[in-house]
């Protein structure tokens, strides 16, 4: 029989041990061949015993939590004829596999071959954070309907700064829990990019609504960004870039998706009275922007009256 490997799956890592003895004992006691520091594991939990034909068999030694295979308690000796074999010793997951068992493909890390990368470098993180501050400051200046003072402008900048740092810290903690990887610059870079994109999208929406003379395109863009693109970017960041667990990354994406989806769908429902027969308040367009771009030049009332009279005379002559 080929050489065996015992895999101990912990929350933070997987440990592999090569079976080099005919009898190998595993448990929490310090005189075991493999020691598992889990209080739910017995001092002597199980052992592997090689038979005369060269095959191994697994036998439980624990009187407390024992061995569970597919959720069922197993007290009998298990012959290791079909590998890999997965089971639980207490709360610890264990796998027994052959040494020739294939491993997962290597995951490429970002910024390989010395190329520039916007994630994982403090230089890019500071640059993107500064870019967000410039964009948000410009957006605040242009969208404020009253005269800005340095005091109010500074309060807005302070609020934006604290908001970015808090969001980046939240993503940093989530990334740590999902991938066991500390990388605050990457979190700061991603949050800055997402917020910059959000500000630019919010600036484009009024023009799109103006051109199409309806706010449906704006709602469609908002839903696509908040429900599709933003969760996809966060999932890519956690799973592909930082190699987080797929399930943990999916949970984070869903946690981001659900509130955004609810708020945006509710806004559409309120706007078009999809849930009520009677609108409690009149809807007013909020698509005004500082730049008063028009598809045609504005004409005065006198010019409009004169043009109308000329058109009326010409149509009368016909």
């Amino acid at each position: 029989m080929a050489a065996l490997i015992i895999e101990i799956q912990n929350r933070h890592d997987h440990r592999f041990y090569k079976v080099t003895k005919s009898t190998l004992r595993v448990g929490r006691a310090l005189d075991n061949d493999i020691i598992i520091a889990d209080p739910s594991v017995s001092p002597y939990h199980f052992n592997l015993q090689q038979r005369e034909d060269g095959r191994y068999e697994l036998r439980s030694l624990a009187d407390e939590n024992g061995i569970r295979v597919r959720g069922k308690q197993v007290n009998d000796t298990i012959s290791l004829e079909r590998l890999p074999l997965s089971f639980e010793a207490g709360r610890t997951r264990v796998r027994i596999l052959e040494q020739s068992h294939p491993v997962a493909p290597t995951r490429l890390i970002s910024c390989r071959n010395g190329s520039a990368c916007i994630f994982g470098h403090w230089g890019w993180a500071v640059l993107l954070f500064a870019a967000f501050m410039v964009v948000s400051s410009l957006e605040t200046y242009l969208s404020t309907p009253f005269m800005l003072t340095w005091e109010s402008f500074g309060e807005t900048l302070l609020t934006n700064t604290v908001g970015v740092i808090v969001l980046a810290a939240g993503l940093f903690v989530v990334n740590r829990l999902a991938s066991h990887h500390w990388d605050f610059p990457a979190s700061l870079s991603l949050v800055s990019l997402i917020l910059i994109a959000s500000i630019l999208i919010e600036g484009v929406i009024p023009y799109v609504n103006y051109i199409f003379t309806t706010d449906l395109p704006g709602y469609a863009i908002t839903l696509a960004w908040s429900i599709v693109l933003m969760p996809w970017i966060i999932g890519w960041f956690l799973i592909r870039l930082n190699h987080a667990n797929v399930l943990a990354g999916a949970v984070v994406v869903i946690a981001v998706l659900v509130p955004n989806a609810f708020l945006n769908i509710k806004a559409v429902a309120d706007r078009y009275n999809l849930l009520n027969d009677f609108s409690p308040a009149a809807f007013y367009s909020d698509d005004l922007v500082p730049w008063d771009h028009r598809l045609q030049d504005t004409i005065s009332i006198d010019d409009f009256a004169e043009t109308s009279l000329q058109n009326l005379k010409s149509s009368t002559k016909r």
Side-chain angles (χ1 to χ4, degrees):
M1 186 175 183
L4 298 183
I5 301 293
I6 296 180
E7 177 187 1
I8 308 296
Q9 301 178 1
N10 297 317
R11 182 173 179 270
H12 298 287
D13 64 349
H14 293 196
R15 297 180 180 270
F16 296 87
Y17 302 90
K18 185 179 295 186
V19 178
T20 59
K21 302 170 61 176
S22 59
T23 301
L24 184 140
R25 190 174 61 195
V26 181
R28 191 161 41 89
L30 299 182
D31 58 347
N32 285 296
D33 298 296
I34 297 177
I35 303 171
I36 301 178
D38 181 351
S40 66
V41 172
S42 299
Y44 305 104
H45 205 99
F46 66 89
N47 69 357
L48 289 181
Q49 180 74 42
Q50 190 175 26
R51 302 184 311 205
E52 295 181 357
D53 59 0
R55 295 185 180 276
Y56 282 85
E57 58 185 17
L58 172 67
R59 184 164 60 94
S60 175
L61 304 176
D63 296 328
E64 297 85 5
N65 296 318
I67 291 176
R68 296 188 305 278
V69 179
R70 300 186 184 91
K72 295 182 179 181
Q73 189 85 13
V74 177
N75 297 318
D76 299 332
T77 300
I78 302 174
S79 178
L80 302 182
E81 297 179 357
R82 294 183 178 181
L83 297 177
L85 172 68
S86 299
F87 62 93
E88 293 180 358
R91 291 192 179 95
T92 299
R93 298 186 62 184
V94 182
R95 275 206 315 169
I96 301 177
L97 49 148
E98 293 181 343
Q99 192 171 2
S100 58
H101 186 80
V103 297
T106 303
R107 293 184 177 183
L108 298 178
I109 61 174
S110 58
C111 308
R112 61 185 183 277
N113 300 327
S115 59
C117 178
I118 62 176
F119 298 106
H121 289 281
W122 273 109
W124 280 105
V126 173
L127 182 63
L128 289 172
F129 175 74
F132 164 74
M133 296 304 298
V134 171
V135 173
S136 63
S137 300
L138 181 62
E139 190 269 340
T140 300
Y141 173 76
L142 294 174
S143 62
T144 303
F146 51 84
M147 184 64 68
L148 273 175
T149 63
W150 284 110
E151 182 179 359
S152 61
F153 191 68
E155 291 177 355
T156 303
L157 289 181
L158 179 61
T159 302
N160 292 339
T161 302
V162 173
V164 172
I165 293 176
V166 169
L167 290 174
L171 182 61
F172 170 70
V173 173
V174 169
N175 187 27
R176 170 60 184 170
L177 294 176
S179 64
H180 317 301
H181 182 55
W182 297 100
D183 196 349
F184 186 77
S187 301
L188 182 60
S189 298
L190 181 69
V191 169
S192 299
L193 278 176
I194 289 178
L195 293 178
I196 290 173
S198 299
I199 293 175
L200 295 178
I201 289 173
E202 289 180 1
V204 168
I205 286 176
Y207 295 97
V208 176
N209 292 342
Y210 179 76
I211 291 175
F212 288 95
T213 64
T214 176
D215 50 11
L216 281 178
Y219 282 121
I221 293 174
T222 302
L223 290 174
W225 167 246
S226 60
I227 297 179
V228 179
L229 291 177
M230 190 188 303
W232 181 86
I233 291 171
I234 295 176
W236 171 85
F237 174 81
L238 292 174
I239 298 173
R240 294 297 301 274
L241 192 64
N242 288 288
H243 307 155
N245 180 273
V246 175
L247 179 59
V251 170
V252 174
V253 169
I254 292 174
V256 173
L257 174 81
V258 171
N260 280 330
F262 173 77
L263 293 175
N264 286 284
I265 293 175
K266 185 177 183 300
V268 175
D270 292 342
R271 168 68 180 89
Y272 292 99
N273 302 325
L274 299 179
L275 302 178
N276 300 311
D277 295 331
F278 179 75
S279 175
F283 174 79
Y284 297 96
S285 175
D286 56 359
D287 288 339
L288 297 177
V289 292
W291 305 282
D292 189 15
H293 293 303
R294 301 168 186 261
L295 295 179
Q296 295 181 357
D297 294 334
T298 303
I299 62 175
S300 65
I301 296 178
D302 294 335
D303 293 338
F304 174 75
E306 183 179 354
T307 303
S308 300
L309 287 174
Q310 291 177 356
N311 292 336
L312 182 58
K313 289 179 182 180
S314 60
S315 61
T316 304
K317 292 179 180 179
R318 295 175 185 176

